[in-house]
Amino acid sequence: MKRKKIFTLGTAACLFLGSFSGCSGGIQGKEPKSIKIGVTVYDQYDTFVSQLMEEFGAYAGRKEDETGVAINVEIYNAADSQTTQNSQVEEMLDDGCNVICVNLVDRTEPTTIIDLAEKNQVPVIFFNRELVEEDLERWEQLYYVGAKAFESGIMQGEIAADMFQAHPEADKNGDGIFQYTVLEGEAGHQDAIVRTEYSVSTLVENGVEVEKLGYAIANWNRAQAQTKMTQMLSEYGEEIELVLANNDDMALGAIDALKASGLEQDRWPVIVGIDGTDVGLAAVASGEMAGTVYNDKKGQAEAMLNLAYQLSVGGDLTELGLEEGKYIRLPYAKVRAEEVEDYIENSRPST
Ligand code: GAL
């Protein structure tokens, strides 16, 4: 669906545009009555991104109560098309948004958006899909909010290493080597590249000998991961002792394939995900997944909104924890059976 606005959050209309130069920010010392934040996501059906947006909406409501400033949030779905996303940014600029938040479809193609934003003097917060540093340097009003990708790989590797060392049955053929397969996110996505690299190197650094049986790209997607895992199962069967999935949805796709194969759960490989989405946490709680790594959707949503708010009202950015004046990266955390209940309790957006 092209240029589709998927939902609008907030209450007031954008009443204050006339008081600003363009719509790039507020007046120092004078709070506007309302602000308008435009958001475009690469794919509204991506589980993690949609939960991040839920948090964003919930926090916008709380921030509105706290500040008394009406916060209008418009969220668009780019449906995996960079061209659509570029048009959406144009539409949001025409609409008078104070700040635009962009979850790039193609992280190597931010040029049109940067040029449009600079021309209109409207700041851009890129999030979740990190563009290269040179692009972020192209204008001073460009920011990035995300997480420390390498950390998620390290934590995933540590969870897997602990499983191998503490549970001899994880080494199904008893050869002292952890035979693994990888389910990767999108080709070229920084999280996919970095997670795979660091989770495997962490296993090795923790003294686990590993052997890669196979890997497949499944684009963060559960159904694609099920198909790829089914193929790997027919090729390697019970030789697979570990599945490293770049995210929870793909780990769940692997579980779907294992269930469909009829293999008893006690003969499944160890499965580790990343994200801590609601469904991912449920799979850790049920023991189907050995663990996941929490991708702090709440922290990222709040950081994005606080930054967008300050940029809109012309406020102070010093308390926001910006690195190099441009980056906010939230830490990850390990979620195993022993931690999962805390995360399940805290994972509902508070409204
Ligand atoms: C990752 C997340 C994935 C997917 C991807 C989209 O950070 O772990 O599940 O949402 O972002 O860019």
Side-chain angles (χ1 to χ4, degrees):
M1 267 181 290
K2 281 198 150 191
R3 295 164 70 107
K4 174 93 174 61
K5 191 189 293 178
I6 52 177
F7 47 97
T8 305
L9 305 156
T11 47
C14 191
L15 302 168
F16 57 95
L17 291 176
S19 17
F20 294 153
S21 53
C23 47
S24 63
I27 301 164
Q28 289 282 357
K30 193 173 171 220
E31 296 261 298
K33 288 199 179 68
S34 69
I35 60 170
K36 196 170 191 173
I37 303 170
V39 184
T40 160
V41 297
Y42 90 102
D43 173 10
Q44 78 174 107
Y45 299 107
D46 176 296
T47 309
F48 173 75
V49 169
S50 71
Q51 291 185 3
L52 177 67
M53 284 299 101
E54 266 177 48
E55 294 287 352
F56 192 77
Y59 186 58
R62 299 203 297 281
K63 185 94 182 168
E64 192 169 73
D65 295 343
E66 183 194 304
T67 57
V69 175
I71 302 176
N72 295 284
V73 180
E74 290 181 356
I75 304 179
Y76 293 73
N77 176 24
D80 244 330
S81 157
Q82 192 55 61
T83 313
T84 301
Q85 188 164 61
N86 295 346
S87 316
Q88 290 171 339
V89 168
E90 220 171 334
E91 197 170 316
M92 291 189 266
L93 292 167
D94 290 348
D95 238 21
C97 286
N98 298 89
V99 176
I100 312 275
C101 300
V102 180
N103 180 219
L104 279 168
V105 173
D106 181 346
R107 62 189 279 262
T108 66
E109 290 293 338
T111 312
T112 309
I113 291 175
I114 294 174
D115 291 348
L116 279 168
E118 187 173 5
K119 190 163 139 231
N120 288 273
Q121 292 290 296
V122 174
V124 181
I125 303 172
F126 292 99
F127 67 99
N128 169 263
R129 297 162 73 86
E130 189 168 347
L131 55 173
V132 294
E133 200 179 339
E134 295 75 58
D135 282 328
L136 207 69
E137 292 299 332
R138 286 175 46 181
W139 183 41
E140 73 270 10
Q141 294 269 61
L142 305 175
Y143 302 88
Y144 178 75
V145 176
K148 302 177 182 168
F150 69 95
E151 232 183 53
S152 53
I154 292 175
M155 291 180 178
Q156 184 177 56
E158 286 172 354
I159 294 173
D162 286 350
M163 286 301 294
F164 191 73
Q165 281 152 351
H167 299 270
E169 70 279 10
D171 183 12
K172 294 203 276 180
N173 61 3
D175 67 352
I177 303 170
F178 219 0
Q179 272 81 18
Y180 72 94
T181 59
V182 182
L183 286 167
E184 285 205 339
E186 290 160 84
H189 190 300
Q190 89 285 0
D191 284 345
I193 300 164
V194 171
R195 286 172 183 173
T196 303
E197 185 188 327
Y198 278 84
S199 66
V200 174
S201 64
T202 302
L203 271 157
V204 174
E205 275 160 30
N206 278 271
V208 178
E209 200 178 328
V210 292
E211 181 189 349
K212 179 158 136 190
L213 295 178
Y215 89 99
I217 291 177
N219 296 305
W220 311 116
N221 181 280
R222 182 168 179 161
Q224 288 185 36
Q226 177 175 0
T227 306
K228 297 289 165 73
M229 183 68 188
T230 304
Q231 284 161 5
M232 290 197 274
L233 276 173
S234 66
E235 203 168 340
Y236 307 108
E238 285 194 68
E239 280 173 60
I240 306 171
E241 295 172 341
L242 169 67
V243 178
L244 294 169
N246 280 172
N247 78 344
D248 284 354
D249 264 16
M250 295 189 294
L252 289 156
I255 291 170
D256 295 338
L258 285 159
K259 285 183 177 163
S261 78
L263 198 67
E264 294 293 324
Q265 195 176 329
D266 59 2
R267 289 166 58 197
W268 289 5
V270 169
I271 301 162
V272 195
I274 292 177
D275 273 344
T277 54
D278 296 345
V279 272
L281 294 174
V284 175
S286 71
E288 291 177 338
M289 258 162 75
T292 184
V293 179
Y294 189 69
N295 193 355
D296 187 0
K297 52 184 186 269
K298 205 169 226 159
Q300 290 166 39
E302 293 185 6
M304 252 167 83
L305 198 97
N306 287 332
L307 179 57
Y309 182 87
Q310 293 299 75
L311 290 167
S312 301
V313 302
D316 186 9
L317 306 185
T318 52
E319 300 293 308
L320 299 177
L322 284 164
E323 287 167 28
E324 299 161 48
K326 283 182 168 287
Y327 292 91
I328 301 179
R329 289 200 182 90
L330 277 290
Y332 286 92
K334 285 186 217 174
V335 188
R336 292 153 297 190
E338 59 265 40
E339 289 104 1
V340 75
E341 287 310 322
D342 291 345
Y343 283 86
I344 288 178
E345 262 169 41
N346 293 323
S347 78
R348 300 264 160 263
S350 24
T351 40

